[in-house]
């Protein structure tokens, strides 16, 4: 009787350890996602409202993130846009009385 208490069948199953590790990993992953959303104030991504967010405004690594409905768009300026080049005047636009806009190139 004493030998049967020391040797149990459950202790010899190596797959029970793997399933416990999977459960711990899933709890850790969910906790990490909740912590990141809270830390970076990204709870807007989880709502139904549309929004625009600017990351690092005015710096070289600036990004514009917009959410429109279910779509999240990320815009990163290209190298030519970051170089600080100014545009040039290419024409004039006029708005008529009826609301129509006419563009006249120069």
């Amino acid at each position: 009787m004493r030998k049967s208490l020391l040797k149990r069948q459950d202790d010899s199953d190596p797959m029970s350890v793997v399933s416990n590790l999977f459960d711990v990993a899933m709890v850790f992953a969910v906790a990490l996602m909740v912590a990141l959303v809270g830390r970076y104030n990204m709870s807007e991504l989880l709502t139904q409202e549309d929004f625009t967010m600017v990351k690092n405004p005015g710096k070289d690594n600036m990004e514009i993130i917009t959410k429109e409905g279910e779509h999240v768009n990320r815009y990163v300026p290209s190298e030519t846009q970051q170089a600080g080049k100014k545009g040039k005047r290419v024409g004039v636009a006029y708005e008529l009385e009826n609301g129509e806009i006419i563009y006249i190139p120069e």
Side-chain angles (χ1 to χ4, degrees), residues 17-85:
V17 174
V18 173
S19 66
N20 287 338
L21 287 177
F22 180 76
D23 292 342
V24 169
M26 291 304 294
V27 169
F28 178 74
V30 169
L32 184 63
M33 287 191 307
V34 168
L36 287 174
V37 166
R39 169 69 173 100
Y40 291 110
N41 297 326
M42 295 178 59
S43 59
E44 292 90 4
L45 289 174
L46 303 175
T47 64
Q48 295 296 325
E49 298 176 9
D50 295 345
F51 75 94
T52 301
M53 179 173 72
V54 179
K55 245 174 92 174
N56 304 324
K59 297 185 180 174
D60 291 339
N61 59 348
M62 181 177 81
E63 296 179 26
I64 300 172
I65 301 170
T66 59
K67 179 179 177 235
E68 299 167 349
E70 294 293 320
H71 301 287
V72 177
N73 301 317
R74 185 173 154 239
Y75 173 74
V76 179
S78 66
E79 291 294 323
T80 57
Q81 291 171 333
Q82 292 179 356
K85 295 182 179 180

Side-chain angles (χ1 to χ4, degrees), residues 89-94 102-106:
R89 185 174 174 164
V90 293
V92 180
Y94 294 101
I102 298 176
Y103 169 72
I104 303 173
E106 291 183 342

